[in-house]
Amino acid sequence: MIGADMDRLKLSLRRALLVAPFVLWGGDALGRDDGRYADSPLKPWFDSLRSHLGPCCSDADGFAVADPDWESHNGHYRVRLDGEWIEVPDEAVITEPNRAGRTMVWPVKTAFGVSIRCFMPGSMI
């Protein structure tokens, strides 16, 4: 009985490994620069932004977060997206000066939920 259970477990694991790339790939995770910001003087800066989790893509992928929808507590950030508070991983925080001035977030939506690729606190002025 143990051998048969192990064979079923191995088969299930193989299937999961074959299906995982399709489940993890999310259309929202792809860049979607549609040219709206092509003439912005900040476009090259946005395009160069990176967190420790990877490139943020561009301004078209991120969006501004209103003050009531983000907060800092005990040195960590969280943002409210679609009515749900999401913890920002420390690795996602961009620490260089914010040339845009407004708080921005770059979420990645997958079948497993929303994660934060990049987060840039506002200048708070």
Side-chain angles (χ1 to χ4, degrees), residues 71-111:
E71 64 184 19
S72 174
H73 183 68
N74 291 333
H76 301 283
Y77 294 102
R78 66 182 196 151
V79 294
R80 184 172 29 212
L81 301 174
D82 298 326
E84 178 183 345
W85 284 101
I86 300 172
E87 298 292 323
V88 175
D90 292 339
E91 300 83 22
V93 177
I94 298 172
T95 57
E96 72 176 79
N98 183 341
R99 294 166 73 185
R102 60 196 188 269
T103 301
M104 296 194 68
V105 65
W106 286 259
V108 175
K109 297 178 182 179
T110 68

Side-chain angles (χ1 to χ4, degrees), residues 27-81:
D28 289 335
L30 297 175
R32 53 185 193 281
D33 185 358
D34 60 7
R36 282 182 286 178
Y37 305 104
D39 296 328
S40 169
L42 290 179
K43 184 176 180 0
W45 176 73
F46 273 112
D47 288 343
S48 71
L49 287 176
R50 302 181 60 83
S51 73
H52 290 287
L53 299 176
C56 301
C57 295
S58 71
D59 190 29
D61 294 310
F63 60 88
V65 180
D67 285 344
D69 292 327
W70 73 279
E71 64 184 19
S72 174
H73 183 68
N74 291 333
H76 301 283
Y77 294 102
R78 66 182 196 151
V79 294
R80 184 172 29 212
L81 301 174

Side-chain angles (χ1 to χ4, degrees), residues 1-10:
M1 186 78 170
I2 292 176
D5 288 339
M6 285 300 284
D7 288 340
R8 279 195 294 271
L9 180 63
K10 287 179 185 177

